[in-house]
Amino acid sequence: LLQYTRGTVTAFAPFDARADAEALRKAMKGLGTDEETVLSILTTRNNAQRQEIASAFKTLFGRDLVDDLKSELTGKFETLMVSLMRPAYIFDAHALKHAIKGAGTNEKVLTEILASRTPAEVQNIKQVYLQEYEANLEDKITGETSGHFQRLLVVLLQANRDPDVGVDEALVEQDAQVLFRAGELKWGTDEEKFITILGTRSVSHLRRVFDKYMTISGFQIEETIDRETSGDLEKLLLAVVKCIRSVPAYFAETLYYSMKGAGTDDDTLIRVMVSRSEIDLLDIRREFRKNFAKSLYQMIQKDTSGDYRKALLLLCGGDDD
C-alpha cells in the first residue's frame, strides 16, 4: 500500500501496548471515567498501535476495549473514540455499510468516499466489504440509488480510472469540446458524457481538460456543473472535480462546511478527521488555512467543546496561524 507521510498521527515511540492497556483499564474502572487519559492515549497512537492495545487489553483483562469505551463514554466523544478504534482497513467499508443501511441512504457519505479514494483504495474497499459483510458493495449501492447519480457511482466503483502516463493534448482538446457541447451548448445536459469523462480519465489528463474547458467556454467546469445539473448528481460531480484538482483542498472544504453556520455535522467532522489523520491531514490543514479566514484548529476550537474538542484538537495536531 501507498506510504502516506502527511498525517498528523504517526507511530508513537516508545510504545508499550500493555502499559497503555493498563492505563486505559485504570481510567475506566470503578466510579467515573478519567476521559483525559483515554483521549490522550487514543489520539496519539496510530491505528495499528490502537489495535495492539485492544489485543493487550483483552489478554490482560478478558474485556473488550471497544465495549468498555461504549459503556463508559457518551455522545460525540464516544463516537470519536470508537471511530479511532476501528481498524483502518475496514473504516471506509464500515462507513459505506452504514450509509446504505435501513431507511434512507446517506448520499453524502457515498459521495465523499467514492469521489476521494484512489482506484487502489476503492478495490480494497470492495474486497473488505465482501469479506466482512458477505455482500457485494456495488449491488448494495445500486439497490439504494438511481439515475445518473447511480451510474456515476458505479463508474467510480469500477476503479478503472486511466493511469497517469503522459497527457495527449489532442484528447484533452477533444474531451474539453465534448464537455462544452454536452453542457453549455446543449439545451438540456448530456450527463452521460460528464460521467464517462470525469469517471474514467486520468487525474493529470483531467486537470488539463479543466484548463482547456475554461479557455474554450470562459467558465470553470464547476460553474457549468452547478448550472446544468442538480441534486445528488451535482454534488457527486463537483466532489469528483474537486478531488481531481486536490484531495486535501476537497477535505478542507468538507471540514469547513461541517462546522460553518448553525449546528455542526459531527458525523462528517469525525469521519474526515479520523480517516485522514494518518494520510494527509497536514496538507488538509494547509489548504484550510489558505482557503478560509481561519485555521482548522481555530475552527474546531470555536465549534466544539469538552473532551470531544480536546480529542479533535489533538488529532488536528497544531495550529496554522
Side-chain angles (χ1 to χ4, degrees), residues 246-253 280 283-288:
S246 161
V247 169
Y250 168 73
F251 280 118
E253 187 179 312
D280 55 1
D283 296 325
I284 293 168
R285 268 171 47 184
R286 198 182 58 223
E287 290 293 332
F288 196 101

Side-chain angles (χ1 to χ4, degrees), residues 161-199:
R161 191 176 287 289
D162 298 337
D164 265 315
V165 284
V167 172
D168 172 354
E169 286 301 329
L171 186 60
V172 166
E173 173 80 38
Q174 186 189 317
D175 279 353
Q177 292 285 359
V178 167
L179 289 174
F180 183 46
R181 287 197 298 272
E184 294 291 343
L185 284 187
K186 198 171 190 297
W187 194 77
T189 310
D190 183 353
E191 291 90 350
E192 199 160 275
K193 296 282 196 288
F194 279 83
I195 289 169
T196 302
I197 292 173
L198 294 177

Side-chain angles (χ1 to χ4, degrees), residues 143-174:
E144 297 295 330
T145 56
S146 61
H148 289 108
F149 175 63
Q150 179 201 76
R151 305 257 158 72
L152 180 50
L153 287 172
V154 170
V155 167
L156 295 170
L157 277 166
Q158 302 319 299
N160 270 332
R161 191 176 287 289
D162 298 337
D164 265 315
V165 284
V167 172
D168 172 354
E169 286 301 329
L171 186 60
V172 166
E173 173 80 38
Q174 186 189 317

Side-chain angles (χ1 to χ4, degrees), residues 71-85:
S71 70
E72 294 296 323
L73 311 175
T74 56
K76 297 174 283 202
F77 180 56
E78 176 196 336
T79 307
L80 177 57
M81 292 301 110
V82 170
S83 298
L84 284 170
M85 289 307 304

Side-chain angles (χ1 to χ4, degrees), residues 220-267:
Q220 293 287 11
I221 187 92
E222 289 92 335
E223 298 175 77
T224 295
I225 290 169
D226 198 26
R227 260 202 310 278
E228 301 288 330
T229 61
S230 62
D232 294 324
L233 174 67
E234 177 191 343
K235 293 190 186 101
L236 181 55
L237 284 167
L238 286 173
V240 169
V241 168
K242 285 168 182 172
C243 289
I244 293 292
R245 290 195 190 273
S246 161
V247 169
Y250 168 73
F251 280 118
E253 187 179 312
T254 303
L255 286 169
Y256 178 75
Y257 284 107
S258 76
M259 292 181 278
K260 185 187 182 290
T264 301
D265 175 0
D266 292 292
D267 287 340

